[in-house]
Amino acid sequence: MKLKKKIVLMVKLLFFAFAIIFSGCKEKDVPSIKIASDDSIEIQPRESFSELKENFWTSENGLVCVLIGYGFNDDDFVKKAINSLEKKFGLTENGGLVLPIVFPDDLHGRISSLRDIIEKNNVHGIVLLGAPENTHSPLARIKEEWNGNPPFNVFSIFPQDDVLGQEFTCNFVIDHEYTAGIQFGDEENKNEADDTLVLLISAVEYAAELPFVLPQDSDLYYHVQAVAGKRKVVRYVDSETGIQSRNHFVILNSAE
């Protein structure tokens, strides 16, 4: 019995040592997911406004598909977003992590084409920014093909698609206060584009780091808060029914 306990302890120590060595090979900022000595996963918030650092990732273990849709597909934002994603993670065309898709141009105006792209690639995660109408349809078909359990996470940020469809096909959905029916001053949103880009980068990194598909349990809130960093998130509550969503969150305007 004592020998068995010693073996278990040694395995845990080796696992922990490997986790430390592995994390040391990446950036030396605070990670969002950290393997503790008891094999549990510790979720830590990100520094939302930290400067992006060059850290070329590879798509060896699967790529992260990033869809840039309505509200964010103007030339200036797309150029800035893709440059930042390339600098941080590398693009798949050069062996990097991120496969950027701009709607409608890259999909010839058909959001249904997203299904073909996902099925043809080894996808580890999907991040949707400004998901256009009916984005949930190809995602729902993919979900059906995997018997309701696709082996990758889908994060949706500020979608313009049907809310219920997004909640059904995505692991979590993040909205602004005003898009969820809560209004605030325009003056406070002058840096919204920069904030959105930081949130996008954080979501991509989180999707790449996660070794499992997020369940819609009580811990989901902490994962979403880790992605949001300094921005505070709360669960969305339907104003008519008073029902709290399991996986739909609102990112508050002011940071804590």
Side-chain angles (χ1 to χ4, degrees):
M1 196 70 181
K2 291 182 179 180
L3 179 60
K4 184 177 180 180
K5 288 183 178 180
K6 286 182 179 180
I7 293 174
V8 172
L9 179 60
M10 288 178 65
V11 170
K12 288 189 175 183
L13 288 174
L14 287 172
F15 181 80
F16 183 47
F18 174 77
I20 293 174
I21 293 171
F22 178 77
S23 62
C25 296
K26 300 176 70 174
E27 290 183 81
K28 296 191 181 297
D29 57 356
V30 178
S32 60
I33 303 174
K34 181 179 174 183
I35 307 298
S37 58
D38 59 355
D39 298 357
S40 63
I41 292 181
E42 179 181 346
I43 304 168
Q44 299 180 353
R46 297 172 181 276
E47 294 295 329
S48 296
F49 298 96
S50 61
E51 183 180 354
L52 294 176
K53 300 177 182 178
E54 291 188 13
N55 184 27
F56 195 88
W57 298 48
T58 71
S59 57
E60 181 180 354
N61 297 318
L63 58 84
V64 175
C65 178
V66 177
L67 174 70
I68 302 176
Y70 287 142
F72 306 96
N73 57 358
D74 61 276
D75 291 342
D76 289 341
F77 183 86
V78 167
K79 182 178 180 180
K80 188 174 182 180
I82 292 180
N83 285 342
S84 297
L85 290 169
E86 183 174 20
K87 180 180 179 181
K88 177 75 175 179
F89 307 106
L91 304 183
T92 54
E93 62 186 34
N94 298 316
L97 176 73
V98 173
L99 174 62
I101 302 172
V102 181
F103 183 84
D105 296 347
D106 293 340
L107 296 176
H108 306 290
R110 299 175 57 204
I111 191 60
S112 59
S113 300
L114 179 63
R115 179 186 173 191
D116 295 332
I117 294 176
I118 293 173
E119 291 181 339
K120 289 178 182 178
N121 288 279
N122 177 24
V123 174
H124 182 73
I126 301 172
V127 178
L128 310 172
L129 178 61
E133 185 178 1
N134 290 325
T135 301
H136 65 279
S137 295
L139 294 177
R141 291 188 178 184
I142 292 172
K143 191 171 182 177
E144 288 176 3
E145 291 169 359
W146 287 96
N147 295 319
N149 298 295
F152 49 76
N153 288 291
V154 183
F155 302 160
S156 183
I157 303 171
F158 312 145
Q160 297 194 21
D161 189 18
D162 174 72
V163 174
L164 293 179
Q166 284 283 295
E167 291 177 352
F168 174 71
T169 56
C170 301
N171 296 87
F172 66 73
V173 181
I174 298 179
D175 269 323
H176 277 306
E177 276 186 290
Y178 67 84
T179 57
I182 307 173
Q183 298 181 348
F184 50 84
D186 292 336
E187 180 64 24
E188 297 178 3
N189 295 315
K190 59 184 179 181
N191 295 321
E192 182 179 332
D194 290 338
D195 291 353
T196 298
L197 182 55
V198 172
L199 183 59
L200 175 64
I201 296 293
S202 180
V204 171
E205 184 169 354
Y206 210 78
E209 290 178 342
L210 273 175
F212 56 87
V213 176
L214 287 178
Q216 292 184 13
D217 56 18
S218 59
D219 287 339
L220 183 60
Y221 166 82
Y222 299 101
H223 287 283
V224 177
Q225 184 61 71
V227 171
K230 290 183 178 180
R231 291 290 182 182
K232 177 67 176 177
V233 297
V234 296
R235 289 185 182 274
Y236 172 68
V237 178
D238 185 88
S239 58
E240 295 183 0
T241 65
I243 296 176
Q244 187 180 75
S245 175
R246 291 181 301 171
N247 66 337
H248 188 179
F249 299 82
V250 176
I251 186 167
L252 301 181
N253 178 47
S254 57
E256 284 191 330

